[in-house]
Amino acid sequence: MNNPGVYEIEMVKNTFRDLIYDPQLGGGVFEDRAVKAIIPGGVSAPWFGPELLDLPLGQDEVGEKGSMLGSGSVVVLDETTCVVRAAWRITKFFSRESCGQCTPCREGSGWIERAMYRLEHGGGRMEDMDLLLDLCDNIAPGLSWPPQQTTICVLGSSIPSSVHSAIKMFPDDFKAHVLHGGCPHD
Amino acid sequence: MTDVIRTTVSITVNGRELEVKTGELLIDAAERAGEYIPRFCYHPRMEPVGMCRMCLVEVEGPRGATLQPACYLHVNDGMSVCTNSEKVKKAQDGVLEFLLANHPLDCPICDKGGECPLQDQTLAHGSGETRFVEEKRHFVKPIEIGELVLLDRERCIQCARCTRFSAEVAGDTEIAFSGRGDLIEVAPSPDKPFNSVFSGNTVQICPVGALTAKPYRFSARPWDLEQVESTCTTCAVGCRIAVQSSGNRLTRVLGVDSDPVNHGWLCDKGRFTLDSVDQNADATDVLDPATRMVAPMVRVNGVLEPVSWGEALDAAAKILRDASATPEGVGAIGGASLTNEGAFAWERFVRGVLGSDNLDAQFGDGLDPVLLQALPRATIDETASAKTVVTLTGDLREELPILFLRLRESAVRDHHAIVEFAFGPSALRPVARLSLVVRPGEAHLAARCIADRADAPTGVAFTNEELFEARRLIGESGEGVVFVVGRPNVAEDPRVLEDAIRRFAERFPDAKFLVALRRSNVAGALDMGLSPRLRPGRGFELTSKGRDTLGQLEALRRGDQKALLLLGGSLLGNVADVVGATSALEKASVIAVTGHGGPSLAFADVVLPAAVAHERSGTVTNIEGRVSAVAAKIVAPGSAWPDVAIAAELAEQLGQSIGLTSVEQTAKTIEESTGYPALSVANDELHDGAVVGRLDATSLRHALDPMAFPGIRSAESVGLASYTGATVETNAVDSVHTRPATLDVLGHAPNLEVPLADAYSLRLVVSRRLYDRGVAMQGSPALDNLIKATTLSLNHVDLDRLGVEAGAIVRVTGAQGSVRLAVQLNEEVARGSADVAFGTLSATGEDALAALLDPTSVISQVRVETR
């Protein structure tokens, strides 16, 4: 972003586009790059594509589209971003955050993190995408929104959001990683 | 309007409607209805935590069916549950896959292989193929976290059974989780090894091979093990156990979940002493308790030589015949290590054949058995559920460990009050509502003050505030109160405690008593009449002039008694005044009937080898009077015989008969002649036995859950431990002799002259330790390093007064000599008193405890000098 920061704006009256492009607010994407994806409300939230830029910033509006405003920390991924790396880093955060009490979160976050690391750094396999989606499903059954969970707390059901979104929205990016034997952006 | 409290609710499980207990856990309710929900972290004897997530089931709720852990959910009326849907199966399979992701899958070299809940679940539900291609988590392979337990963190599935057991059940702090995420690990305390006396339980309940026990590691494969159910006789709690062997070698003891007794738990001494049974059969040093007696022996030219049974019985009969020539010339000491059948046979032998009342199963370190018979008795369950428990015992964790666990649970979980007569250090202190500090020679004064609502006399350790609080907790009549009574200090005249017990019994008629005598089957031996004034089946004969142990030792020293029949070899290891006992044995002709060696055998003229625990069948009686079966799992070494056979043959040799031919027939005779439950216990399918004098002890155990107690095969699958025999038709439990109606039979209470405290002396407390130098410990190399060096424990006030630093070596002088001991600081020792452990000092020699005792006084006092 040109103007990253904390902004207080009225709910529903503004859209993601307003937040990102209004000169008083985000001021547009760095070097006028295109928006690739938006994480609407913290890294627990499923991602949106640029087609939802005109969605109003409201709890219900975002919820209806299958994500959440959550913490209100909107992350914009521009066209140069590697979504595999982004999803891996988010998973790594959750893996470190997991308290380790219950099995799906403790083992699931570590497993997903290691598989994502492999995809990003070489060693990825085509079948890893199905594997990752199934592991996500074993933490948040159905991968629906709002999520179901096999874990004690909602940290578990937060893990799948980024991986699930990235695979679903950008399968070609994953395939490119597999074929390239690592991150093509590097 | 009357509110009806519903004791059941209706739930639907897989479309089937069930009536289940209000408030119970869904996992238990479903299991009873035949719907077994897989689990790892859930254990029926601990609070649920819902951590492993294996027991996820679908529960209908306002927002549709959701996955919830069945172990963490209490049943509600109308609850609808599905345990077998595709969604449930997917979730459970997912959890299992996650658990296996970092598991090393080293089953072929894992002790748990073959009895592993993780292995079993994987075989039942696992996919057979792994999708995990990442590098597994690595830890240093097994680390020794205590003397007996090794931890393999790679195998751990973080179910928290071990850490919960330690914190919740045992109250220990030596192991806990450390780290987070998938790097979480069970970690030992950095400064305290995992040497809890309960450490073996964590190994038993570990659902994988993460925790293994050093004595069992790599010694057998589960499918090679044979098992019988039996009763532990290491102490007098009577925990139910599964005894397992491979060939004729004992390999392992596991705790069986007996609802009225041990809840599946065991102490490490009970669990790991089996080495003492089958090891050292080749050893020859008869003075070493680790040596098994494998052949009869007769002393020839001062040396014990192996002989045939015929020769040995002949020599024994000659001694007894000669000694019986003078009146009261013979007697028997010991018997606490016998079964009820063995004790009954020896009682018949001594009274019937020798015509003597000189017999005693206690070693002068117990209490007056007639007083104990006169008390209204409580069961362990009644004690654990009493609103107030008053303990007049030593440290129960050291004396009767599983009773300690039951009382701790009662205080911590159910918030019942424990009023502790604090004689010395005690593991109950942190959970006791009140610790009433008493020095030696003060317990009866405190009891009188509580009973008579009197103020504390001057100079005592307890305060008026403590007395007030004790009175408040005991109440007016003692209703709902149980007094746990034992022998906290063997350096104190037993009449001090007996006087206190009697005061309480007279003043609080509604109170009950749990008699916490600690040694093995001492309760059964007394019930079988191995005491001068007792008769088999809880009968008594107050006019008896027979001598107890201390009386016999005195008579032997005087020469009035010539011969002594030692039932078990542990007299010198257990009697407080070793010096006096030794000089008595020196003068006597001694016939030792024992399975183990020991210092007493230095004075034996004839040794008759007997079968010991796990080699003999029969019944034993625990502290609460519960009679339960013990089983023979292996064959006794050499030519050792069961006690019934030895007593019968020896009677024969003397030209008489005790009318007993086998263990089965002895049990039948006990039951028919005294009404004491013996044969019916084993035949009744009452795994938990029957309590003498009660008809309510009919708890039939439900099938064992192999997930909760891996390694134990249920009685249903391997059969009962019972021996076969005709079932006794009448319900014999009902017709036990009635006990004395009042305490009046005891006569006047003695006048106890407690010497005045002198400013330079400390009153001596000699307390018991679990890990002592007894037979069980000395024969078990695994436990050897756990015996602590004896120290003199003092309060900081006395340390300061004496000008001594903790750790310093001091000279401790008592009535009969002095010993040198290291000083230890312990604030739980009352000011003005000093605590020394019994049975950790050597029996004879320079550090003998006897030097410190004053047999002429009510209490023993010692002086401490730094030079």
Side-chain angles (χ1 to χ4, degrees), chain B residues 127-209:
Chain B
S127 74
E129 290 284 331
T130 180
R131 299 192 290 175
F132 188 80
V133 295
E134 327 301 331
E135 180 71 19
K136 291 193 186 235
R137 181 172 59 218
H138 289 298
F139 286 111
V140 175
K141 274 290 196 181
I143 50 170
E144 213 176 289
I145 57 173
E147 277 297 325
L148 296 162
V149 180
L150 289 105
L151 168 65
D152 183 329
R153 291 162 292 177
E154 291 188 344
R155 293 177 184 157
C156 177
I157 59 166
Q158 291 86 27
C159 69
R161 277 188 179 184
C162 58
T163 52
R164 272 184 290 155
F165 173 83
S166 284
E168 187 182 313
V169 181
D172 294 326
T173 54
E174 293 101 334
I175 52 170
F177 276 123
S178 97
R180 57 185 300 153
D182 63 358
L183 293 175
I184 195 168
E185 58 178 291
V186 173
S189 153
D191 48 22
K192 212 168 153 200
F194 185 42
N195 287 343
S196 155
V197 300
F198 302 109
S199 72
N201 293 299
T202 63
V203 176
Q204 184 175 342
I205 60 176
C206 179
V208 292

Side-chain angles (χ1 to χ4, degrees), chain B residues 511-585:
Chain B
K512 290 185 172 180
F513 292 78
L514 180 67
V515 178
L517 294 179
R518 49 178 283 286
R519 191 178 305 115
S520 194
N521 189 31
V522 66
L526 294 175
D527 282 353
M528 291 300 106
L530 288 185
S531 180
R533 298 198 292 168
L534 299 183
R535 292 296 179 274
R538 293 210 176 162
F540 54 95
E541 175 52 63
L542 296 173
T543 56
S544 166
K545 294 283 182 281
R547 304 184 193 110
D548 61 11
T549 290
L550 298 183
Q552 287 189 61
L553 292 175
E554 176 65 34
L556 288 166
R557 280 194 294 271
R558 282 200 313 266
D560 295 349
Q561 186 173 326
K562 307 285 186 205
L564 179 64
L565 190 58
L566 268 184
L567 304 174
S570 57
L571 172 66
L572 287 184
N574 279 294
V575 74
D577 181 11
V578 183
V579 177
T582 304
S583 62
L585 291 180

Side-chain angles (χ1 to χ4, degrees), chain B residues 91-127:
Chain B
Q92 291 179 351
D93 288 352
V95 169
L96 192 58
E97 185 182 34
F98 283 139
L99 287 174
L100 290 168
N102 276 304
H103 191 74
L105 301 172
D106 54 351
C107 310
I109 56 153
C110 178
D111 265 336
K112 209 76 168 188
E115 57 181 33
C116 174
L118 184 62
Q119 201 178 38
D120 293 347
Q121 297 278 356
T122 305
L123 276 172
H125 307 290
S127 74

Side-chain angles (χ1 to χ4, degrees), chain A residues 105-126:
Chain A
C105 174
R106 178 184 68 238
E107 302 294 339
S109 62
W111 189 349
I112 294 171
E113 189 269 324
R114 274 179 264 189
M116 290 297 291
Y117 178 91
R118 238 180 340 97
L119 280 160
E120 172 65 12
H121 295 91
R125 308 166 303 167
M126 285 299 176

Side-chain angles (χ1 to χ4, degrees), chain A residues 126-140:
Chain A
M126 285 299 176
E127 62 261 41
D128 283 337
M129 279 171 279
D130 283 345
L131 171 67
L132 285 165
L133 287 177
D134 195 51
L135 296 179
C136 289
D137 186 73
N138 285 341
I139 300 172

Side-chain angles (χ1 to χ4, degrees), chain B residues 78-355:
Chain B
M79 181 182 266
S80 179
V81 181
C82 180
T83 71
N84 54 11
S85 67
E86 278 306 308
K87 192 172 168 188
V88 167
K89 197 169 161 16
K90 172 107 182 12
Q92 291 179 351
D93 288 352
V95 169
L96 192 58
E97 185 182 34
F98 283 139
L99 287 174
L100 290 168
N102 276 304
H103 191 74
L105 301 172
D106 54 351
C107 310
I109 56 153
C110 178
D111 265 336
K112 209 76 168 188
E115 57 181 33
C116 174
L118 184 62
Q119 201 178 38
D120 293 347
Q121 297 278 356
T122 305
L123 276 172
H125 307 290
S127 74
E129 290 284 331
T130 180
R131 299 192 290 175
F132 188 80
V133 295
E134 327 301 331
E135 180 71 19
K136 291 193 186 235
R137 181 172 59 218
H138 289 298
F139 286 111
V140 175
K141 274 290 196 181
I143 50 170
E144 213 176 289
I145 57 173
E147 277 297 325
L148 296 162
V149 180
L150 289 105
L151 168 65
D152 183 329
R153 291 162 292 177
E154 291 188 344
R155 293 177 184 157
C156 177
I157 59 166
Q158 291 86 27
C159 69
R161 277 188 179 184
C162 58
T163 52
R164 272 184 290 155
F165 173 83
S166 284
E168 187 182 313
V169 181
D172 294 326
T173 54
E174 293 101 334
I175 52 170
F177 276 123
S178 97
R180 57 185 300 153
D182 63 358
L183 293 175
I184 195 168
E185 58 178 291
V186 173
S189 153
D191 48 22
K192 212 168 153 200
F194 185 42
N195 287 343
S196 155
V197 300
F198 302 109
S199 72
N201 293 299
T202 63
V203 176
Q204 184 175 342
I205 60 176
C206 179
V208 292
L211 293 166
T212 46
K214 221 192 275 178
Y216 173 73
R217 265 169 80 78
F218 306 131
S219 71
R221 277 312 206 172
W223 50 85
D224 291 331
L225 297 179
E226 292 179 336
Q227 171 191 305
V228 290
E229 196 174 315
S230 189
T231 305
C232 180
T233 51
T234 310
C235 80
V237 171
C239 300
R240 288 299 277 172
I241 50 174
V243 183
Q244 302 182 334
S245 69
S246 174
N248 197 44
R249 214 183 88 74
L250 292 174
T251 49
R252 186 165 64 164
V253 167
L254 295 171
V256 167
D257 192 333
S258 166
D259 197 50
V261 186
N262 60 316
H263 292 186
W265 312 132
L266 295 178
C267 70
D268 285 358
K269 189 173 175 182
R271 187 184 296 273
F272 295 118
T273 53
L274 47 91
D275 285 353
S276 65
V277 177
D278 65 349
Q279 288 202 345
N280 301 305
D282 300 329
T284 50
D285 181 7
V286 294
L287 303 187
D288 182 355
T291 306
R292 286 301 308 277
M293 299 292 105
V294 295
M297 288 187 280
V298 170
R299 193 169 293 278
V300 181
N301 298 328
V303 182
L304 284 171
E305 299 282 0
V307 295
S308 71
W309 267 103
E311 290 169 82
L313 290 170
D314 194 47
K318 184 174 181 308
I319 289 172
L320 294 173
R321 214 178 283 120
D322 291 351
S324 303
T326 56
E328 294 302 302
V330 292
I333 290 177
S337 59
L338 302 171
T339 58
N340 291 348
E341 288 73 14
F344 183 75
W346 284 116
E347 192 272 345
R348 276 202 167 182
F349 179 83
V350 175
R351 287 218 168 90
V353 175
L354 301 181

